[in-house]
Amino acid sequence: MTENKDANQKNESDNQEEVDLSKRQFIKTAGMTTGGIVGGILLGSFISKPFKTEKYEPASEDSHHHGSGSHNTFTEAMQFFTRSEDLLTLAAATEIIFPEDENGPGAIALGAPYYIDKQLASPWGKNTDDYRKRPFLAGESPLNRGDTMLTGLRKLNEVSQSKHNDIFDNLEEDAQIEILQSFEAGEIEMNLVSSAGFFALLRQLILEGCYADPLYGGNKDMEGWRMREFPGAYMSYVDTVEAKEFVKKEPMSLSDHM
Amino acid sequence: MAKKLDKVDVVTVGVGWMGGIVAAELTKAGYKVVGLDKGKEKDIKDYLHTHDEVRYPVRGEGYEKLTNETYTVRNTLEEDARPIRDKSTAVIGEGIGGGGSHWGAQTHRYYPYDFEIRSKTIEKYGEEKIPENMTLQDWGITYDELEPYYDKFEKMAGISGEPDPNYPERSDDYPTPPLKKNRQMLLFEEAVKKMGYNPFVIPAGTLSEQYTNPDGETLNACQYCGFCGSNYCEYGAKADPVMTVIPTAQKTGNFELRTHARVIRVLHENGKAAGVLYEDTRTEQEFEQPADLVVLTSYVFNNVRLLLLSEIGKPYNPEDGTGVIGKNFTDHHGVTSSHGLFDNEKFNNYISTGAYGMAITDYTGDLLDHHDLDFLHGGQIEARITGNAPVANNIVPEGTPQWGKEFKEKSLFYANRFLMIFSQKATLPYREHYLDLDPTYTDANGDPLIRITWDYSDNDKAIHEFIQEKHIEILEEMGATHILAYPMPEHFSGGLAFQHNSGGVIMGEDPETSAVNSYLQTWDIDNLFVCGASAFPHFSCTNPTTTAAALTYRATEGMIEFLKNGGQLVEAKSQKNQV
């Protein structure tokens, strides 16, 4: 961990006006639990990206003091993860796998890390509807999805530490890509689950976090759909089906039908 | 201690398409029918908010939960089978309507060749054309005998379509016209016509216009909304037991539907079925439901499993080929697919229905000469518009990484520039492919799970090679700038992408080689019928429901005849020339 880099990033973050109070509070907490301010700052650098369209208007001076901030982000907290460093590692990996570019936002701005946290906290994350009876044979993982993700994310940091002497989200992009490739190829030895199995779950969850209906907390403001020109939850295309040219439609979500 | 209930005329195990058809026909004929389904009740009110890719196709809402039971899979007799654990990889319908509530609704008929496949193959090529371990059998029925029942199913379901120019004239038109042709279909049609093929719009149970069926049930017009194959239809535009045969049965006043009712055994003594033993899955209270007629209508796996658990019929033995229960199991998920990417086109890929597209059958059945080919039967070629739901459809040119900057860039660019060519292939039966009870894994009650022993055959691989060359030629003719021709997986993984399995309780003329007669009545117990694709001696190229339903419609006539006069409906024949 490099102290100077930490300090620089802290200053940069402090200068960003978009960072709202609730986020600041979270950043401080995150920084403390990761054993230094670094993680918190990096988290700040992603959550401060302008992916909110609706500003939350505080009902009173009081709520402002409580730090509820100018954006409604109540659902952006941890349901599954207990260590914010795990969420930070996840966030860094999501952005490498689905990066922001000239087409539009990346996984972080789309809310994929929080989407994943919520999914892992759900019955699906605990494999509630799956057959779990033992014995698990060679090649089968006895871990549920939540434990698979925790094991994999911690392994990402472990490999980062041993190869580059730093945590995953502090590494240069090229080093992060290289590590993720070795996980994808199944080259990293892991206990009870393969690194390829972890990577496949990670990639699947990131695509979901970018493209699921926004009701689940990802695909912020339908920006994932907008990038692909996917209209989302329309009820009928009967008038468009025979069109010879591409017809671009402003997306709709399930909440539009409530 | 099971609580004994009052006797009824008929009990069905499962209330999906087959159970629904049996319930509708038998209640209309005046019989009292109880339908037992281990899942939940549902109606169109449950369908209104299903435009959700993660909840439906990705997570499998609407598929059976595997918490308490699943099936196990191995590729060869020597291996230990492993259970399929992930619910989303086991597409088995849940609740009333079963898979019929969220099917793609592709509704081809099987071909005349299929029903007499062994005789016709020997007639044309000699017996040596059939590999020694391929247990190819005639079905004990002909296409012409089944044709009226295809027509009956199509009219009940309101199928939209146009005739396939390659196959025999239909006794009547499809009840509704084909779906509208979009840009991709027109491109395909133009290309394959130029190549000398005979394209037609895929017949579908997503209706092109509003339709009222002969039972008085109304289905609405498809809206091409793009959330179809794994979704319920909020418009009531998809043929679904919940919208058709189940309400038809309920209107008679003769149908009692019991949900959360999981059948554990078929009860029988002295060669006669007494009824079924079931449990309420919420209370675990057991009930005995006596009936004059017991009908198993609970998908291939459960039909076979219940017979084996109830010790009905002789279990199949793959070592010597004797016995019948579990025999000729086939899996039909080994599809051949290829993507064409079109740099200079932009399609409205988000618009689709469950079985939207055009097809050609020029390489199916025995329409092609097999003298110089190393396979039997063949595959259909379809241009399938399956939608571009964004979690599952990220198509990029060959050599592109599956994540990162380039992946994002290309997957966005091609989201509306891809088109899929898809082949469903005939899957023929082998001596060593079968179903039995797993020696290790059990359900929550301690009963063994059903075990699949199955793998891709040389015939499957040869059809794949042959048909994929045709895909490439068609995509080239259509002007694709990149062609992705996906290889077949080396081995069957056990995952089901849709609900296409068959065999295990196969029909035929000879009790030595089949489990049921052409009315799907078991040879061993006169008052026990087993309906569904479990009766198929092999899997033809296309989707199973239409043929399973036609056989079931015919079977209901047999059931009524049986309830009136009793006895075996078909005289058994011994066929030494059958395997």
Side-chain angles (χ1 to χ4, degrees):
Chain A
M1 210 165 284
T2 54
E3 299 297 332
N4 288 341
K5 193 177 165 192
D6 297 348
N8 290 338
Q9 289 197 347
K10 184 174 189 294
N11 290 336
E12 276 168 31
S13 180
D14 283 345
N15 293 334
Q16 285 178 4
E17 289 181 0
E18 309 93 277
V19 180
D20 60 63
L21 289 174
S22 63
K23 295 288 168 54
R24 291 277 187 83
Q25 193 57 45
F26 184 23
I27 291 161
K28 279 187 202 154
T29 314
M32 282 156 60
T33 54
T34 49
I37 204 72
V38 56
I41 295 304
L42 285 185
L43 183 65
S45 72
F46 83 74
I47 55 178
S48 64
K49 282 183 182 154
F51 57 76
K52 297 283 186 301
T53 50
E54 282 187 13
K55 300 240 177 205
Y56 173 67
E57 298 298 336
S60 66
E61 277 297 307
D62 198 39
S63 65
H64 191 71
H65 288 154
H66 284 143
S68 54
S70 57
H71 295 189
N72 181 342
T73 54
F74 297 118
T75 63
E76 298 190 350
M78 296 192 294
Q79 286 186 17
F80 169 76
F81 290 110
T82 46
R83 302 181 192 170
S84 49
E85 66 192 61
D86 293 327
L87 184 62
L88 294 177
T89 308
L90 171 66
T94 66
E95 192 66 18
I96 291 294
I97 286 172
F98 197 90
E100 181 164 348
D101 65 5
E102 60 274 18
N103 292 295
I108 290 174
L110 288 168
Y114 286 114
Y115 167 89
I116 293 170
D117 175 74
K118 287 177 177 57
Q119 287 296 309
L120 297 177
S122 77
W124 180 83
K126 298 174 175 62
N127 296 60
T128 306
D129 291 347
D130 295 340
Y131 186 79
R132 304 292 289 164
K133 206 160 179 170
R134 274 62 179 167
F136 284 88
L137 303 179
E140 290 188 302
S141 172
L143 300 187
N144 68 26
R145 295 182 181 94
D147 287 338
T148 298
M149 287 295 288
L150 275 185
T151 308
L153 291 170
R154 287 172 190 173
K155 193 73 185 181
L156 269 180
N157 269 339
E158 211 181 295
V159 171
S160 302
Q161 287 287 5
S162 74
K163 285 183 95 166
H164 302 285
N165 210 21
D166 207 343
I167 58 171
F168 183 77
D169 54 354
N170 277 353
L171 301 186
E172 296 295 327
E173 191 179 290
D174 286 350
Q176 290 177 326
I177 291 172
E178 198 181 301
I179 288 176
L180 286 171
Q181 283 169 338
S182 60
F183 273 77
E184 182 185 30
E187 292 163 5
I188 305 297
E189 282 291 315
M190 286 174 62
N191 192 22
L192 299 178
V193 63
S194 74
S195 70
F198 156 68
F199 185 88
L201 179 61
L202 173 68
R203 177 183 178 275
Q204 169 70 19
L205 279 166
I206 292 167
L207 288 174
E208 290 175 14
C210 296
Y211 292 138
D213 191 284
L215 93 92
Y216 298 105
N219 186 16
K220 278 278 170 200
D221 299 329
M222 304 187 284
E223 287 298 333
W225 288 347
R226 221 168 256 120
M227 271 191 288
R228 286 175 67 106
E229 299 173 301
F230 180 73
Y234 270 60
M235 291 293 124
S236 174
Y237 297 124
V238 76
D239 295 335
T240 323
V241 62
E242 291 173 300
K244 300 284 182 286
E245 305 296 328
F246 184 73
V247 181
K248 191 171 170 175
K249 291 177 186 283
E250 176 61 19
M252 288 174 81
S253 71
L254 283 164
S255 73
D256 290 315
H257 304 295
M258 296 304 289
Chain B
M1 185 72 188
K3 182 180 174 191
K4 192 160 181 172
L5 304 169
D6 291 339
K7 190 174 183 181
V8 294
D9 297 324
V10 184
V11 63
T12 76
V13 179
V15 188
W17 267 130
M18 305 312 140
I21 288 169
V22 170
E25 295 305 299
L26 275 287
T27 56
K28 283 194 288 179
Y31 296 101
K32 298 282 182 195
V33 179
V34 166
L36 302 174
D37 197 289
K38 66 184 166 188
K40 60 177 182 284
E41 191 160 12
K42 56 184 186 271
D43 72 23
I44 194 166
K45 283 180 273 186
D46 300 302
Y47 294 2
L48 299 181
H49 298 270
T50 74
H51 286 192
D52 185 334
E53 186 189 6
V54 164
R55 184 171 178 180
Y56 289 88
V58 175
R59 296 280 185 269
E61 175 96 18
Y63 305 163
E64 189 174 308
K65 291 178 174 61
L66 303 184
T67 316
N68 291 326
E69 63 184 294
T70 182
Y71 57 95
T72 69
V73 180
R74 59 179 182 168
N75 292 131
T76 66
L77 295 170
E78 291 74 37
E79 293 168 20
D80 290 328
R82 60 189 58 206
I84 294 299
R85 297 185 180 278
D86 180 349
K87 174 196 168 192
S88 67
T89 65
V91 180
I92 297 173
E94 191 268 342
I96 67 160
S101 296
H102 53 72
W103 60 323
Q106 184 163 183
T107 53
H108 304 274
R109 297 174 175 191
Y110 280 5
Y111 319 121
Y113 171 72
D114 283 312
F115 300 97
E116 301 166 86
I117 190 167
R118 183 173 183 87
S119 306
K120 283 176 184 275
T121 303
I122 291 172
E123 194 181 301
K124 191 161 171 189
Y125 306 104
E127 193 158 1
E128 62 280 5
K129 184 73 177 172
I130 303 171
E132 186 269 325
N133 63 339
M134 186 190 277
T135 48
L136 212 56
Q137 289 187 200
D138 291 348
W139 288 38
I141 193 169
T142 63
Y143 175 82
D144 288 341
E145 286 173 284
L146 196 58
E147 205 280 344
Y149 304 96
Y150 274 128
D151 186 62
K152 190 165 185 175
F153 169 73
E154 288 160 357
K155 284 179 175 152
M156 177 275 291
I159 303 302
S160 299
E162 60 185 3
D164 174 354
N166 284 328
Y167 278 106
E169 230 174 280
R170 306 162 47 83
S171 60
D172 200 355
D173 289 336
Y174 281 108
T176 53
L179 292 163
K180 297 170 195 280
K181 287 179 198 169
N182 70 2
R183 166 107 180 109
Q184 299 93 303
M185 287 157 75
L186 292 171
L187 271 179
F188 176 81
E189 184 179 35
E190 191 190 355
V192 297
K193 274 189 173 166
K194 208 185 272 181
M195 297 168 81
Y197 299 127
N198 298 297
F200 60 98
V201 177
I202 290 172
T206 52
L207 273 57
S208 59
E209 60 184 33
Q210 198 189 61
Y211 170 79
T212 300
N213 78 10
D215 295 318
E217 312 299 342
T218 297
L219 293 161
N220 293 315
C222 174
Q223 303 297 307
Y224 303 87
C225 73
F227 289 87
C228 195
S230 307
N231 295 74
Y232 307 132
C233 180
E234 79 275 19
Y235 277 95
K238 175 152 52 175
D240 171 349
V242 172
M243 300 298 298
T244 53
V245 288
I246 295 171
T248 297
Q250 283 168 327
K251 279 175 199 164
T252 64
N254 292 328
F255 184 50
E256 190 192 336
L257 178 62
R258 289 185 209 142
T259 53
H260 305 96
R262 196 173 82 88
V263 174
I264 300 166
R265 293 287 187 279
V266 176
L267 303 169
H268 62 102
E269 55 183 355
N270 305 322
K272 193 173 183 314
V276 297
L277 177 70
Y278 74 91
E279 68 168 7
D280 184 315
T281 57
R282 299 161 298 191
T283 61
E284 296 186 359
Q285 164 80 44
E286 290 189 354
F287 298 91
E288 198 179 313
Q289 177 60 66
D292 286 331
L293 182 66
V294 175
V295 188
L296 305 189
T297 53
S298 59
Y299 198 56
V300 171
F301 298 146
N302 205 49
N303 283 354
V304 175
R305 182 165 182 250
L306 272 179
L307 293 177
L308 291 172
L309 287 175
S310 307
E311 298 180 341
I312 295 170
K314 190 177 172 194
Y316 177 69
N317 179 348
E319 304 292 345
D320 60 10
T322 61
V324 288
I325 307 301
K327 183 185 173 180
N328 280 28
F329 172 79
T330 56
D331 177 86
H332 190 242
H333 296 89
V335 298
T336 297
S337 67
S338 313
H339 273 113
L341 306 184
F342 295 76
D343 287 5
N344 307 314
E345 291 275 357
K346 200 167 176 189
F347 305 124
N348 291 306
N349 267 349
Y350 55 87
I351 302 178
S352 73
T353 76
Y356 194 34
M358 296 200 75
I360 56 171
T361 55
D362 299 79
Y363 298 113
T364 60
D366 204 31
L367 293 181
L368 63 167
D369 189 281
H370 289 77
H371 277 103
D372 297 325
L373 296 172
D374 54 353
F375 61 85
L376 287 171
H377 215 308
Q380 173 168 284
I381 299 176
E382 305 159 14
R384 278 291 300 286
I385 321 303
T386 53
N388 64 351
V391 174
N393 291 278
N394 289 282
I395 320 294
V396 290
E398 212 163 351
T400 311
Q402 286 299 305
W403 48 277
K405 283 178 182 156
E406 194 188 348
F407 168 77
K408 184 186 173 192
E409 172 81 34
K410 297 258 171 75
S411 60
L412 293 176
F413 179 76
Y414 287 106
N416 285 297
R417 292 181 172 86
F418 72 83
L419 181 146
M420 183 168 67
I421 303 289
F422 190 80
S423 279
Q424 304 195 63
K425 307 183 296 273
T427 312
L428 304 180
Y430 288 85
R431 186 163 49 217
E432 61 274 21
H433 292 166
Y434 75 115
L435 295 173
D436 68 351
L437 295 175
D438 192 277
T440 306
Y441 295 97
T442 62
D443 67 12
N445 288 355
D447 280 331
L449 300 180
I450 197 79
R451 174 173 69 174
I452 297 175
T453 305
W454 197 84
D455 205 357
Y456 301 119
S457 66
D458 291 344
N459 204 71
D460 297 332
K461 291 170 188 163
I463 301 176
H464 170 83
E465 297 295 327
F466 176 88
I467 212 94
Q468 197 158 51
E469 278 180 32
K470 312 298 175 193
H471 289 192
I472 294 168
E473 289 167 15
I474 292 168
L475 285 167
E476 282 171 350
E477 180 67 36
M478 291 175 73
T481 36
H482 306 269
I483 295 174
L484 308 171
Y486 303 106
M488 253 180 85
E490 213 166 309
H491 296 289
F492 175 56
S493 70
L496 313 178
F498 22 88
Q499 215 174 320
H500 288 205
N501 299 96
S502 77
V505 197
I506 64 173
M507 59 192 292
E509 292 186 319
D510 181 354
E512 290 294 312
T513 57
S514 62
V516 293
N517 64 31
S518 66
Y519 285 98
L520 311 184
Q521 180 185 31
T522 62
W523 292 116
D524 290 341
I525 295 180
D526 293 348
N527 66 333
L528 175 64
F529 287 62
V530 184
C531 301
S534 52
F536 298 180
H538 72 273
F539 212 114
S540 185
C541 300
T542 55
N543 315 58
T545 297
T546 307
T547 298
L551 289 169
T552 299
Y553 265 115
R554 188 171 180 275
T556 60
E557 293 186 357
M559 293 171 200
I560 292 168
E561 171 63 23
F562 172 81
L563 285 166
K564 284 179 184 158
N565 300 314
Q568 271 287 319
L569 297 159
V570 181
E571 196 184 331
K573 285 183 196 166
S574 175
Q575 291 177 301
K576 292 289 178 225
N577 65 335
Q578 293 273 359
V579 171

